[in-house]
Amino acid sequence: MIDPIFLVEAMVNGVLLGGVIALLALGLNLIFGVLDIVWIAYVDLVMLCMYAIYFLVTVHGWPFWAAGLVSLGVGALLGVAVHLLIISPILTSPPVNQLLATGGLLFFVQSAATLLWTTDHRSVRLSLPSWEIGGIFIPATRLIPFGISILAVIGLYLFLTRTYIGTAIRAVSQDREAMSLMGASPQRIYVVTSAVGGLMAGLAGALLIFQYAVHPFFGGQFGPLTFMVCVLGGLGNMVGAFVASFIMSEVIAVGGVVMSTEMGYVIAFVIFIVMIFIRPGGILARRQ
Amino acid sequence: MTRGRVLAGALLLVLLLQPLIPLGGYRQYVLHVTIQIFIWSFIGSAWSLMGRFQLVSLGHGAFLGVGAYATVLLWNVYGVTPWLGAVAGMILAGLLAVVVGLPCFRFRVVGHYFGLVTLAVGEVIRLLIIAERDWTAGSLGLTLRSAGGDSLWAVQYGSKQVFYYGSLAMFLIGLWIWHRVDRSMARAALESIGEDETAAASVGIHVTRFKLGITVLSAALTALGGSLYAQAIAYVNPETLAGIGVSLKIVFAVVLGGMYTLLGPLVGTALTTALSEFLRILFGLKLLGMADTIYGLLLIIFIIFLPDGIYGSLRAALARRAARSAGGAGVAAKASV
């Protein structure tokens, strides 16, 4: 019998982790939903942003918040670069070629990171407090990223619903051919979408470096999970992705305590597979 | 056609005699690389049985892992001959394909969703292997228990020539199976399903049955490839035989070579393997990561500029030239093979 206090602590950790996963899922959902191309290497962009912060803070002595802002810029630039260099030429290619182009990017980025920075794990040392509430420890290194990610999610929601460009993005994700007929330029929407998606990756990188060491294969740790959350929530459905993030992170956190770390992920993935059959359009989609 | 047969015969003769070519110290290395090419070409052909019909699987690493681990575990723990272990692996992979494929096809999971479901399956198998480390040895991988010498029963031989001919034979069998599917009524049915599932169903094609059949066949053959790989290498590891990494590499080789042609997977695998080995030798540990960096970059470039794959693009170019030289008098028949 597992001490209930461990279960509660796992659930709290699940919520805190869910916030950052939500960031990843929403950024990917934006790109996936609008362009309908699977950016397999999305989380590897996050890995590059984490490295940017590591070097600025640890090697060059920048304050963390300034490095975080640079990370946002790096993420946005990477997003645009990936779109212009790789995605644009293959917009009309068969899905498998689109998949493999970003798969090649995954190999390229991972290997380039290995070449430049070796396979050592690097982390940023932050001296932050940890609070105890009723026997449960809540470290600031998890609480702060959670808070910021919630703010970012709210910001993204406002951007998509209250700005002209945001409305255009949602319109393209619904029907890109009709949008062309309306005179709007999908190409410009694509670039903006990639930039925003990249920005989200940069922010996620800044928040993940709080609690994880960065290494060239970091993308393998969160990549598949991000895809599951994205599809589980429903492509183009931001609220669904948000909800799915917390469901998945809870399963992983609690499963990791009850069984083992790997089994937590196994259960999460199995749940994803089953949900795809039950709710193909996402957990919040109405049955057609 | 006659010219094609002569060329094929000549190529086969060269392949049969290759182990006898005096290469000195390089012979073992060349044999090793060639064995790898045959095994992965076989696996690539198995994958393309699904891929060519728009069933793009990102989880074939799961079937590979099931086949390899079943064979090794049955031998190491129970002393079951790999001949039966491979059969068990194929059956298990087939069952896994049914468990995953049946709901997918019944509930119309297609396109990206199918790809991601298979990706999840690949990760599940990889993580299960790691999680069950008490009997699978997890991330450390498993070494084949030695039979104490050359043994047909244990499929263990010190000489690489045996595995060379074994993998060549299996590769040829894979080509034959691919060819048989290509010439069957199932091909027409599956192609129409890939283009428009609803229209195919409306003319009486049993969509679920055809998709499930090709999926089970592909899974079983992939598991067989995993078994031979395990015997040839004598070591299995969840990272090299399951999960997204190996699945992507399978897809890369096939698509680069051209998945709609008989020899596409062979061309793709030979090129990616040769490229990988060349870069590894060139850079090795002096510039750790440089080899794979260039490799990844070249993959991206190939995918963008040669959408039909290298072999597929070459054939298309030759077909266009033939059509042009005919002066438009006749329609160039689209011949496969």
Side-chain angles (χ1 to χ4, degrees), chain A residues 225-265:
Chain A
L225 175 63
T226 303
F227 275 103
M228 305 309 140
V229 171
C230 210
V231 174
L232 191 59
L235 294 183
N237 187 337
M238 296 300 170
V239 176
F242 185 77
V243 173
S245 302
F246 288 95
I247 293 176
M248 282 301 201
S249 59
E250 282 298 331
V251 170
I252 289 168
V254 175
V257 166
V258 175
M259 303 175 81
S260 70
T261 304
E262 291 89 9
M263 290 305 288
Y265 278 88

Side-chain angles (χ1 to χ4, degrees), chain A residues 45-174:
Chain A
L45 300 187
V46 174
M47 175 260 290
L48 292 179
C49 296
M50 292 172 76
Y51 269 111
I53 293 188
Y54 167 80
F55 283 109
L56 289 177
V57 173
T58 304
V59 178
H60 297 289
W62 285 35
F64 195 95
W65 61 269
L69 292 182
V70 170
S71 177
L72 296 185
V74 169
L77 283 178
L78 286 175
V80 173
V82 167
H83 177 74
L84 294 180
L85 293 176
I86 297 179
I87 304 299
S88 276
I90 58 170
L91 272 175
T92 55
S93 294
V96 66
N97 288 63
Q98 296 174 339
L99 179 98
L100 289 181
T102 60
L105 177 64
L106 180 145
F107 285 138
F108 175 78
V109 170
Q110 287 183 359
S111 304
T114 300
L115 174 68
L116 294 171
W117 307 307
T118 78
T119 52
D120 297 340
H121 289 213
R122 304 165 189 272
S123 58
V124 171
R125 299 297 174 190
L126 296 173
S127 299
L128 294 175
S130 179
W131 299 281
E132 182 187 352
I133 302 176
I136 297 171
F137 290 91
I138 303 182
T141 52
R142 286 177 177 250
L143 194 59
I144 292 177
F146 173 76
I148 295 178
S149 54
I150 296 301
L151 288 178
V153 166
I154 294 173
L156 179 67
Y157 179 78
L158 293 178
F159 168 76
L160 289 176
T161 57
R162 302 301 174 86
T163 67
Y164 177 86
I165 198 72
T167 303
I169 288 174
R170 285 187 293 121
V172 169
S173 72
Q174 286 181 6

Side-chain angles (χ1 to χ4, degrees), chain A residues 22-35:
Chain A
L23 264 195
L24 291 169
L26 289 174
L28 183 60
N29 199 319
L30 199 58
I31 296 172
F32 203 163
V34 171
L35 288 95

